[in-house]
Amino acid sequence: MSAFHEMKEDIRAFFSRNLLFKILKWIIVILFPFFLTLAVNYLSFGNTTQLYTLFTKGLGSLAFGLLLVWLAFLFFAAVIPNISLAALVCSILFISFSLVDYFKYAILEVHFFPWDIYLARNASSFQEFLSTITIPQALWEVLFSTLFYCILLYLLAPKISIKWRFRVLMSPLFFIGFYLLMTNPTVQRGLTPILGIPSEKTSDQNAFYGKHGFLTAFSLNFGSAQNINIPQNYSKSSIQHDFENYLPQQNSGDTFQNPDIVVVLSEAFWDPTFLNGVTFSDDPLKNYRKIAETNPSGKMISPTFGGGTVRPEFEILTGMSTSALPPGNIPYQQYVKNDIFSYPRVYKNLGYDTIGLHTYQKTFYDRDKAYPLMGFDDFLGEYDLHAEQHWNSGPYITDETIAEEIMYQLDQPHDVGVFVMAITMENHSMYQNKFDESDRVIQVSGNNLTSQQILTLENYAAGVRDSDRALKSIYDYVMSREKPTIVLWYGAHLPTLGDDFDPYLATSTISCPTASQWSEEEKHIMFSTPYLIFTNYDTGRAYLADNQSVSPFLLPALMADYIDAPQCLQTNFLLELYRTCPIMSKYYNFYSPSADKTKREQMRELHELLTYDILIGKNYISEIN
């Protein structure tokens, strides 16, 4: 320690030799926020090319982020007051957030949003994902260089003779400035035109972060996280006028047979044979294809890619649109605070028992809080299931377990029927080194694939094959039952098979790593997952959307129509929406090509209005009768 103290004194004496060195010392101090701004954005970008572009073509965005760092730095320097300690605290704050962004993007190909902070309580759940990520050398270099800079500031030990009265006065001003710049939409809108930053957030958040950098994009999203604009002309009378035509007919549901209803969200269930030039030694979806030959099926256009399972799940349970909410939203945690309309509640009102199942932590996404508010009688997580837990070499309970739990729940006595919502987990990412060789029974080959890409695809094929086998188990069981039963099975989203959409790019399945630049055909490939509906009885009705692609929020209404369930206002509206535009994804500017644009926009606005009214507004829709 004495040697370190002597070095500190020598460095301090060196920089105190003359005016030039004293100026240099303060230049080093003044440049720290600039260095930290570059370091944070570099961690988010993961490369110097985008950082250089931000520095040369996005000075306004860079300045916005730099102003945030400066305000935080001045606040900590005034409060502590110690330049080196202020720099260290500032570094920990900003570097930590950028590291979260780096790791989230590495896992899900999606950046870190302010509302992801809600997931902090589930941080331990991500440990198994992080263990599969290789940390590049450049990341370590940034971390060590930041630490070195803080140590250098400590060694320089510049003294600031500021009276405590001034610090007491100025520190709140610095904090308020930082807080307003970070969170206040009005302040942000005032600055963004000056800096050349658009005030409207794009639905393509990856492009938004890539253009403006992590600090600016995160801050602008923070300002919009809980500030959804009230729709124009929103009022009780307008809701009454817009939706009264969708009131149910009095004698609807005459042929409804009270079937047991099972909805299965199959994690990352997708057909990998869509990859160009890739061969699989066995068909991983053989059972799905066989069942789909004689039952309604099609493609579901997911509102997410690689993660964010909660969004298609929420849309199918409620018929609402997550496009009406900020990109990357987590509906359960952000908006479901009171009892809301849902299809489980619709069937509960008909006398059904309603049960949710998940082979993972039921607290994830706050499902344990949201499910009762959506009308579920019970929600069972991985430790609550009655079925025996089955495992293979993968880190998650296999889908065989969820299939057996569904059978158990259907076997229980129910006065009218049961509505079961089941969420699987076995096929969740990461796929790089997920299964042992003994479990990877499907071999993959392709001329353009590296050995690592082949290994990733074989791991994914092992998981989706198990999902497909669980589907067959449920199908065989349902077909053996006497009680009328209907099952909706769907994939939540496509899998993240590697960084920058690898191997989708390697196989030329898509042409570029930027979603906003994909063609309509590429969007359809990258956001569509298989779904099917099967029953063990004749519903007496045709399924309206057989072999079609539809948005997830339409599926509950299409299923209700297929079994002639008693009508409700939301079902009638969604069926009209289906007839207008079966595919409606504002995030990706992706719509059914044959839809009338004027009518489509009218229906889209009504759907978003309905979502706003139920989740955020006054729930006027519930008063229409």
Side-chain angles (χ1 to χ4, degrees):
M1 290 298 293
S2 58
F4 185 80
H5 180 72
E6 290 178 7
M7 181 177 64
K8 176 183 177 181
E9 293 301 321
D10 290 342
I11 292 175
R12 182 185 300 177
F14 176 81
F15 279 95
S16 300
R17 291 168 56 185
N18 54 51
L19 180 61
L20 179 63
F21 285 100
K22 290 180 180 178
I23 293 174
L24 178 60
K25 176 175 66 176
W26 284 105
I27 288 175
I28 293 173
V29 174
I30 292 171
L31 285 178
F32 173 76
F34 182 74
F35 164 83
L36 186 58
T37 301
L38 294 179
V40 167
N41 283 312
Y42 174 75
L43 287 175
S44 178
F45 290 142
N47 61 78
T48 56
T49 302
Q50 286 180 287
L51 185 63
Y52 177 77
T53 301
L54 180 67
F55 188 76
T56 56
K57 298 182 179 179
L59 284 177
S61 299
L62 184 66
F64 188 99
L66 178 59
L67 182 57
L68 277 171
V69 176
W70 255 114
L71 288 170
F73 182 56
L74 290 173
F75 168 73
F76 288 120
V79 169
I80 297 177
N82 182 299
I83 292 291
S84 59
L85 188 55
L88 180 61
V89 173
C90 223
S91 298
I92 293 173
L93 173 66
F94 288 106
I95 292 290
S96 296
F97 272 61
S98 62
L99 283 176
V100 172
D101 180 68
Y102 173 86
F103 287 120
K104 185 189 176 190
Y105 192 85
I107 295 170
L108 301 176
E109 297 278 357
V110 177
H111 282 285
F112 177 46
F113 303 121
W115 37 92
D116 289 332
I117 296 172
Y118 288 111
L119 291 175
R121 73 197 72 179
N122 301 123
S124 61
S125 305
F126 292 98
Q127 291 179 358
E128 52 219 18
F129 303 147
L130 297 177
S131 64
T132 65
I133 297 177
T134 301
I135 300 178
Q137 181 179 346
L139 190 149
W140 290 114
E141 291 172 354
V142 169
L143 295 179
F144 281 120
S145 61
T146 304
L147 179 61
F148 174 79
Y149 208 135
C150 293
I151 293 174
L152 177 61
L153 292 176
Y154 171 75
L155 295 173
L156 291 175
K159 299 293 184 181
I160 306 179
S161 299
I162 302 176
K163 294 182 178 181
W164 69 269
R165 294 183 183 86
F166 182 80
R167 289 193 286 110
V168 169
L169 175 66
M170 294 305 297
S171 56
L173 295 180
F174 293 141
F175 176 80
I176 291 171
F178 175 83
Y179 178 80
L180 292 177
L181 190 63
M182 174 71 90
T183 65
N184 190 281
T186 303
V187 173
Q188 292 174 348
R189 283 193 295 268
L191 275 178
T192 50
I194 300 173
L195 299 175
I197 306 170
S199 57
E200 293 295 326
K201 266 63 72 181
T202 175
S203 58
D204 186 351
Q205 285 285 326
N206 286 350
F208 189 61
Y209 276 69
K211 182 177 181 180
H212 301 294
F214 170 73
L215 287 171
T216 300
F218 184 86
S219 301
L220 294 180
N221 275 320
F222 208 115
S224 66
Q226 296 292 350
N227 292 280
I228 299 177
N229 294 328
I230 299 175
Q232 192 174 15
N233 300 322
Y234 174 67
S235 66
K236 183 176 180 179
S237 59
S238 65
I239 293 290
Q240 178 85 25
H241 176 268
D242 290 334
F243 291 98
E244 62 184 358
N245 292 333
Y246 300 107
L247 285 169
Q249 299 176 5
Q250 288 185 349
N251 298 321
S252 65
D254 286 345
T255 64
F256 184 58
Q257 299 183 42
N258 296 315
D260 287 341
I261 301 170
V262 179
V263 178
V264 182
L265 182 159
S266 183
E267 173 64 31
F269 187 79
W270 176 68
D271 185 358
T273 63
F274 270 101
L275 293 170
N276 294 329
V278 180
T279 302
F280 295 83
S281 62
D282 192 16
D283 183 1
L285 265 62
K286 63 172 66 175
N287 296 305
Y288 170 85
R289 289 188 224 284
K290 185 176 180 180
I291 298 170
E293 287 178 358
T294 55
N295 292 278
S297 63
K299 300 292 184 183
M300 184 204 78
I301 306 302
S302 180
T304 185
F305 173 90
T309 296
V310 66
R311 288 186 283 282
E313 173 190 339
F314 174 79
E315 291 194 352
I316 282 183
L317 285 173
T318 66
M320 297 186 218
S321 169
T322 55
S323 291
L325 309 174
N329 57 80
I330 306 172
Y332 298 155
Q333 293 177 316
Q334 292 175 264
Y335 304 107
V336 180
K337 305 300 182 182
N338 302 291
D339 289 350
I340 63 168
F341 171 86
S342 72
Y343 278 89
R345 188 179 300 284
V346 167
Y347 293 105
K348 181 181 178 65
N349 291 339
L350 294 175
Y352 277 63
D353 298 323
T354 51
I355 301 170
L357 310 173
H358 193 11
T359 48
Y360 198 57
Q361 300 171 15
K362 63 182 180 181
T363 57
F364 204 80
Y365 289 134
D366 276 358
R367 285 188 178 100
D368 60 324
K369 297 178 181 177
Y371 268 56
L373 297 176
M374 292 189 295
F376 282 93
D377 297 319
D378 205 357
F379 180 58
L380 309 181
E382 59 183 330
Y383 303 116
D384 308 314
L385 302 177
H386 303 85
E388 178 184 354
Q389 293 188 356
H390 300 286
W391 301 83
N392 50 26
S393 59
Y396 307 113
I397 298 173
T398 65
D399 288 359
E400 179 184 4
T401 301
I402 204 77
E404 292 182 1
E405 182 67 25
I406 289 170
M407 297 175 199
Y408 172 86
Q409 295 295 341
L410 292 176
D411 277 343
Q412 303 311 300
H414 305 285
D415 292 339
V416 176
V418 63
F419 180 100
V420 177
M421 173 67 190
I423 307 166
T424 76
M425 193 65 184
E426 179 183 358
N427 204 34
H428 200 288
S429 60
M430 305 284 286
Y431 306 106
Q432 280 72 11
N433 299 292
K434 185 173 182 178
F435 295 105
D436 293 342
E437 186 175 359
S438 59
D439 287 320
R440 301 197 306 269
V441 297
I442 296 179
Q443 282 72 53
V444 176
S445 60
N447 294 333
N448 297 323
L449 296 176
T450 65
S451 58
Q452 181 59 57
Q453 291 166 347
I454 288 174
L455 180 61
T456 297
L457 285 171
E458 288 182 348
N459 274 277
Y460 175 74
V464 79
R465 170 182 175 269
D466 283 354
S467 300
D468 186 65
R469 295 172 69 186
L471 168 61
K472 183 179 185 302
S473 297
I474 296 171
Y475 177 81
D476 290 343
Y477 171 78
V478 166
M479 290 305 166
S480 70
R481 301 187 80 211
E482 293 184 5
K483 175 73 161 61
T485 309
I486 183 170
V487 176
L488 165 62
W489 173 287
Y490 70 98
H493 50 70
L494 270 69
T496 301
L497 297 173
D499 296 341
D500 296 323
F501 298 103
D502 174 43
Y504 300 100
L505 277 170
T507 59
S508 298
T509 302
I510 55 175
S511 57
C512 70
T514 305
S516 60
Q517 298 177 12
W518 290 342
S519 66
E520 295 295 299
E521 181 181 358
E522 289 172 333
K523 289 178 184 177
H524 194 276
I525 291 173
M526 297 301 284
F527 294 110
S528 63
T529 62
Y531 84 90
L532 64 78
I533 294 175
F534 59 86
T535 66
N536 62 353
Y537 73 106
D538 182 4
T539 68
R541 301 169 67 88
Y543 179 68
L544 296 178
D546 196 15
N547 293 316
Q548 292 187 26
S549 296
V550 297
S551 293
F553 47 72
L554 298 174
L555 286 175
L558 290 167
M559 182 173 66
D561 178 78
Y562 184 47
I563 59 178
D564 194 28
Q567 295 176 0
C568 69
L569 184 151
Q570 282 84 348
T571 296
N572 290 342
F573 170 76
L574 290 171
L575 290 175
E576 177 66 17
L577 182 59
Y578 160 74
R579 287 186 283 267
T580 301
C581 189
I583 302 173
M584 189 174 288
S585 179
K586 189 178 74 170
Y587 282 165
Y588 309 108
N589 193 29
F590 186 33
Y591 303 96
S592 298
S594 59
D596 177 83
K597 187 175 181 180
T598 302
K599 177 67 172 176
R600 181 196 82 193
E601 286 303 299
Q602 291 174 348
M603 296 300 291
R604 181 184 65 78
E605 290 175 4
L606 283 179
H607 195 205
E608 293 186 359
L609 181 65
L610 180 71
T611 301
Y612 176 90
D613 179 56
I614 295 174
L615 287 185
I616 304 166
K618 303 294 186 179
N619 198 21
Y620 295 133
I621 198 77
S622 64
E623 300 178 30
I624 299 177
N625 50 50

